[in-house]
Amino acid sequence: KAGVTQTPRYLIKTRGQQVTLSCSPISGHRSVSWYQQTPGQGLQFLFEYFSETQRNKGNFPGRFSGRQFSNSRSEMNVSTLELGDSALYLCASSLSDSTYEQYFGPGTRLTVT
Amino acid sequence: GQNIDQPTEMTATEGAIVQINCTYQTSGFNGLFWYQQHAGEAPTFLSYNVLDGLEEKGRFSSFLSRSKGYSYLLLKELQMKDSASYLCAVRDLDSSYKLIFGSGTRLLVRP
């Protein structure tokens, strides 16, 4: 069974631009969560989607948004990029909203210059 | 509020035992997870505790005390490949099962 895949793996953008990251969960998994990981802040929860609905949201500004499609694939968008948005963005999938084990993708390394 | 504390770094010797502690404060505890993350890689699931006590899985064990807001991950017979960051995460019932992660403990295993 294929694992969680994320594209692109690496991305360089400039301040003010916007970016879209993609996550394909493990086949059959319906829940997708997004996290931002930085050396200073650790792993921080962005949002969770289940059956195309946002079920949970972390404490990030409105520039961060996401969506989930009917095939459970998810996208995350960051508008008006800031230098502080440079981070590793991880997505994790699980079977359902009551499943306790999450499987992480390899992440997208975003650098904002 | 929510708060999770873990030591920043630990060093241990190959073949030894190491215990990584995690203390937490959440308003609606609904389970505690341990993840392992090697440098440059994604976190991988190690263990899950929701009831008090010890869960053993091979060389790794995880303990939980809900009354003390405390957990530890015990790694036995340390191997060089165990050098990694270990992340403690708490599922918060009051936030609809949102996972709150600690900053992680970087473990260095020396020969």
Side-chain angles (χ1 to χ4, degrees), chain A residues 12-88:
Chain A
I12 299 175
K13 290 283 190 177
T14 56
R15 274 181 299 176
Q17 287 186 311
Q18 68 96 26
V19 67
T20 300
L21 312 181
S22 181
C23 171
S24 292
I26 291 172
S27 177
H29 284 195
R30 296 168 64 191
S31 169
V32 173
S33 298
W34 287 90
Y35 297 87
Q36 181 195 65
Q37 188 172 35
T38 58
Q41 298 293 323
L43 248 172
Q44 292 191 290
F45 173 80
L46 279 157
F47 24 65
E48 179 189 0
Y49 286 88
F50 177 76
S51 292
E52 301 179 65
T53 302
Q54 188 181 85
R55 210 166 68 89
N56 229 326
K57 192 176 189 306
N59 299 320
F60 278 81
R63 300 184 298 107
F64 292 80
S65 63
R67 58 179 176 168
Q68 187 180 34
F69 302 94
S70 58
N71 61 357
S72 294
R73 189 178 70 86
S74 177
E75 286 183 349
M76 191 193 96
N77 186 275
V78 188
S79 63
T80 321
L81 283 166
E82 300 176 0
L83 294 178
D85 296 333
S86 294
L88 180 67

Side-chain angles (χ1 to χ4, degrees), chain B residues 32-78:
Chain B
L32 187 143
F33 300 76
W34 284 96
Y35 282 84
Q36 179 192 59
Q37 186 177 25
H38 285 99
E41 297 182 14
T44 56
F45 172 83
L46 287 178
S47 69
Y48 168 70
N49 295 70
V50 67
L51 299 176
D52 291 351
L54 189 68
E55 294 281 340
E56 295 187 78
K57 203 186 270 190
R59 294 188 299 113
F60 293 5
S61 303
S62 56
F63 171 83
L64 174 67
S65 169
R66 288 172 297 170
S67 61
K68 295 181 180 177
Y70 168 70
S71 172
Y72 67 72
L73 180 69
L74 194 71
L75 291 74
K76 303 174 188 174
E77 301 167 17
L78 279 172

Side-chain angles (χ1 to χ4, degrees), chain A residues 9 35 37 40-43 45 48 55-59 88 90 97 99-107, chain B residues 2 30 33 35 37 40-45 48 50 57 87 91-92 95-103:
Chain A
R9 293 292 312 278
Y35 297 87
Q37 188 172 35
Q41 298 293 323
L43 248 172
F45 173 80
E48 179 189 0
R55 210 166 68 89
N56 229 326
K57 192 176 189 306
N59 299 320
L88 180 67
L90 292 161
D97 57 351
T99 296
Y100 299 107
E101 184 172 340
Q102 293 190 342
Y103 297 84
F104 283 83
Chain B
Q2 303 146 343
N30 192 249
F33 300 76
Y35 282 84
Q37 186 177 25
E41 297 182 14
T44 56
F45 172 83
Y48 168 70
V50 67
K57 203 186 270 190
L87 310 175
R91 189 175 292 271
D92 185 0
S95 299
S96 300
Y97 301 98
K98 183 170 66 179
L99 263 190
I100 314 296
F101 279 84
S103 298

